[in-house]
Amino acid sequence: DAGVTQSPTHLIKTRGQHVTLRCSPISGHKSVSWYQQVLGQGPQFIFQYYEKEERGRGNFPDRFSARQFPNYSSELNVNALLLGDSALYLCASSLRLDSFYEQYFGPGTRLTVT
Amino acid sequence: GDSVTQMEGPVTLSEEAFLTINCTYTATGYPSLFWYVQYPGEGLQLLLKATKADDKGSNKGFEATYRKETTSFHLEKGSVQVSDSAVYFCALNRGGSQGNLIFGKGTKLSVKP
């Protein structure tokens, strides 16, 4: 079975631009979460979606937004990019929201803002 | 708020040495606890989990026991291999409306032949 897939793999953008990252969950998984991992740090939670509704939001500015589609895939959008947005963006999927369900991570999208 | 604290790295060991990476947590309720591993240039892979007190998670020779009395979930392996070189993350999940993972900062392990 295919794991979590993310696209693109790498992306280089200029300050002030907008970016869209995409994620396809494991088949049958209804929850998708997004995390930002800055070099040398642990991942930080950005958003969680379940059944196409936002169920959680981390401490990120309104420049960050996301949505989940009827097929449970998801997009993360970041507007007005800053240098500090350079990071690895990870998508994770799980069957449900309960704490004991594992979250499975994709390979990530490496975003570089210049 | 909820948090996870891991021992500072990097940790450098010789092949076949014993590994311990300490992890303690602060959380209300009864979170599930996880260890993830990240190999260079890759995403995170789930290594093991425990969902209630005194549970022991194990996988690929790694073990960790959920200790509620000490709020700890230390990772251990009896004999490390060069292929275990990676960054290890401890994480918790309270579930429900707080169904996101909260990670520690990670511990980099290097195993020398």
Side-chain angles (χ1 to χ4, degrees), chain B residues 5-103:
Chain B
T5 303
Q6 288 181 237
M7 62 185 288
E8 294 285 329
V11 174
T12 302
L13 296 174
S14 297
E15 206 165 23
E16 299 184 2
F18 184 84
L19 169 71
T20 299
I21 300 178
N22 291 336
C23 170
T24 58
Y25 68 91
T26 301
T28 56
Y30 302 94
S32 294
L33 302 174
F34 303 84
W35 277 99
Y36 282 85
V37 58
Q38 187 172 36
Y39 297 100
E42 298 185 10
L44 276 72
Q45 297 178 24
L46 177 66
L47 183 58
L48 53 84
K49 73 171 187 179
T51 59
K52 61 183 186 296
D54 300 325
D55 264 2
K56 177 186 282 188
S58 61
N59 185 28
K60 300 181 181 179
F62 291 90
E63 294 182 339
T65 301
Y66 189 163
R67 300 288 188 199
K68 189 160 180 66
E69 64 275 15
T70 54
T71 62
S72 64
F73 193 54
H74 305 320
L75 182 68
E76 296 182 336
K77 187 176 185 183
S79 176
V80 293
Q81 305 300 312
V82 172
S83 57
D84 294 327
S85 297
V87 181
Y88 292 81
F89 292 95
C90 184
L92 69 83
N93 186 337
R94 281 205 288 131
S97 62
Q98 302 289 331
N100 55 284
L101 288 164
I102 296 172
F103 287 88

Side-chain angles (χ1 to χ4, degrees), chain A residues 52-105:
Chain A
K52 293 153 283 184
E53 291 188 3
E54 181 184 305
R55 301 300 292 269
R57 174 187 285 251
N59 189 23
F60 280 80
D62 291 344
R63 299 184 297 107
F64 288 77
S65 64
R67 55 180 175 167
Q68 187 177 32
F69 298 99
N71 67 353
Y72 302 108
S73 66
S74 178
E75 282 183 355
L76 175 70
N77 295 283
V78 187
N79 292 324
L81 285 167
L82 303 174
L83 294 178
D85 295 331
S86 295
L88 180 67
Y89 288 84
L90 295 165
C91 173
S93 76
S94 63
L95 274 170
R96 308 181 100 133
L97 289 180
D98 300 278
S99 65
F100 46 83
Y101 285 101
E102 300 91 338
Q103 294 191 20
Y104 294 91
F105 284 80

